[in-house]
Amino acid sequence: MNDMPQLVQQNGTASLYVNGKPYLALGGEIHNSSASNLAYMEEKVWPHIKKLNLNTVIAPVYWELIEPEQGIFDFALVEGLIGQARSEGVKLILLWFGLWKNGKSSYVPGWIKRDTETYFRARYADGAASDTISPLCEAAVAADAAAFKRLMAWMKAFDTGKYTVIMVQVENEIGFLGSERDYSETANAAYAKPIPRRIAQAYGVDGSWQEAFGADAGEWFMAYHYACAVDRISRAGAEEYPLPMFVNAWLEQYPWRPGTYPSGGPVAKVMKLWRLAAPMLCLYAPDIYVANFADVCREYTQDGNPLLIPEARRDVSSASNVFYAFGRHDALGFAPFGVEGFFQTGEDGEGPDLSVMMALNIDFSGFVVNGTGPYLAQSYKLLGGMLGLIQQHRGTGRMTGFLQHHDSGCLLSFARYDVQIAYKRQEDGKPPAGGLVIELSEDRFLFAGIGFSLQFLPKRGMRERIGLLRVEEGVYEHDVWKRGRVLNGDEAAYRVAVGDQASALMVEVYSYA
Ligand code: DGJ
């Protein structure tokens, strides 16, 4: 294997290799405009995110700034960003803010914005133009592909060997807002034609989009055309420098009709169609702002899709969710959004921008920013010391995770024992219960997470009793266990518990008749 970042299948699950070693991203995505100025990054971003103990920063690269005039490229900003990341000792996942960002075309250069004839807009049913360039606009897709190709060629020359940039997200939260489909002339003509043969074969349907997909036709049509456009763009980039590339999804959510969330984006139900049309993407990534984190993880691991969460809601729940994502779903990475604000208080001007949340239709109920920083930093610190151990257990069936939602706890099943986990009642402003468990051997277990207590049970039908042989608090440093207190007496008399700050317990048990 060469050192180039790449996805490799191991134990039936995908691993990301960087510099020849497996890599798990404890990440954070920064605000949209932060990376447009290097001095701002130095002053307002790096000093804050360093405290989070993250190893990966997710940051945009803006088409409008790298190709301000057609064919004239300037990579100074990207070079500066990579340089800063190297000094900070973190890796980067870059977001290509090209033709589409949250459904709109706000990041295309001015020369594209102004030329609405060549780079035509998607239209609504009444014929009005949107501010989204149509995915059926060949010229626009070609221009984006050409710019992305130049970016990747530049990156190959600048970053090969060091591999500071480990993945690239192509576009951002693609899809059409305000209507289920594009009604431009070109789109109407394509919509009336028979669906492509590979789609007909895969779905066992035929005829026009309408005939084949009925009420869902508009969304399926858009998904196909966005996926074809992204396929062309990512292929152009990969021809120069084949970093792992992916797309992210603004999730299907209330009020549910396509167009209220971007229609045609890679929501779970159209992932199969995206895969057919854009086979070189390595994964489909959910941006999880909704409360049902576990359900979304489940949806986005269907059919072997590797889980990467490039954006998650910026509240204390992220401190627990990260354990669940790695433990239960073998995530490749996890990153809450807007991380430069996590250590600032409302008074510093960094509360949640509710108008933005509402405009983007993001669920902001229970949204708490203050206090997230210290909780997440502790989770990342703990996980950061044991990434090798986690990697070693991915796909083995000997690692799992749990997360509090509506239930009071859960029952986990291992080879020789079951473990009953009871969630601590969640208090306002504190993280929910969440954790991961690794079965190190039949009778030795590592528990890491927040807000739970545990009890070992015999497997059903077994009459044996189970006792605690040894319970240690501790942390992993470079994947070596360093024990703290040994818990016994009052601390282990009833149920062994973990509090509100992420911590780990090594538990050894024995059975007797
Ligand atoms: C989702 C987008 O992908 C991000 O770029 C950003 O706009 C956030 N929403 C804002 O919460």
Side-chain angles (χ1 to χ4, degrees), residues 156-197:
K156 178 179 184 183
F158 187 73
D159 202 35
T160 297
K162 291 224 158 92
Y163 303 114
T164 304
V165 179
I166 56 172
M167 291 180 103
V168 180
Q169 178 189 294
V170 186
E171 315 294 338
N172 189 84
E173 291 193 351
I174 287 167
F176 189 38
L177 281 170
S179 169
E180 83 291 358
R181 79 165 172 96
D182 174 7
Y183 286 84
S184 64
E185 229 175 87
T186 313
N188 284 342
Y191 190 68
K193 283 196 186 143
I195 57 171
R197 190 200 293 264

Side-chain angles (χ1 to χ4, degrees), residues 457-471:
L457 303 176
K459 303 295 282 184
R460 272 168 62 184
M462 301 294 286
R463 305 260 299 262
E464 62 190 349
R465 294 175 63 85
I466 299 161
L468 296 172
L469 199 61
R470 180 129 164 149
V471 181

Side-chain angles (χ1 to χ4, degrees), residues 86-153:
R86 285 179 186 166
S87 321
E88 299 290 334
V90 298
K91 297 286 187 189
L92 288 172
I93 295 178
L94 293 182
L95 314 173
W96 170 237
F97 280 11
L99 262 175
W100 300 293
K101 155 79 176 67
N102 298 28
K104 309 210 169 176
S105 298
S106 50
Y107 280 96
V108 302
W111 53 271
I112 296 236
K113 275 189 186 149
R114 278 192 292 264
D115 185 354
T116 52
E117 215 159 289
T118 314
Y119 307 110
F120 65 83
R121 306 298 165 111
R123 290 185 179 270
Y124 302 115
D126 64 2
S130 71
D131 44 16
T132 298
I133 292 176
S134 169
L136 290 99
C137 177
E138 285 273 333
V141 176
D144 184 321
F148 188 60
K149 189 176 174 71
R150 287 288 292 265
L151 171 67
M152 295 309 284

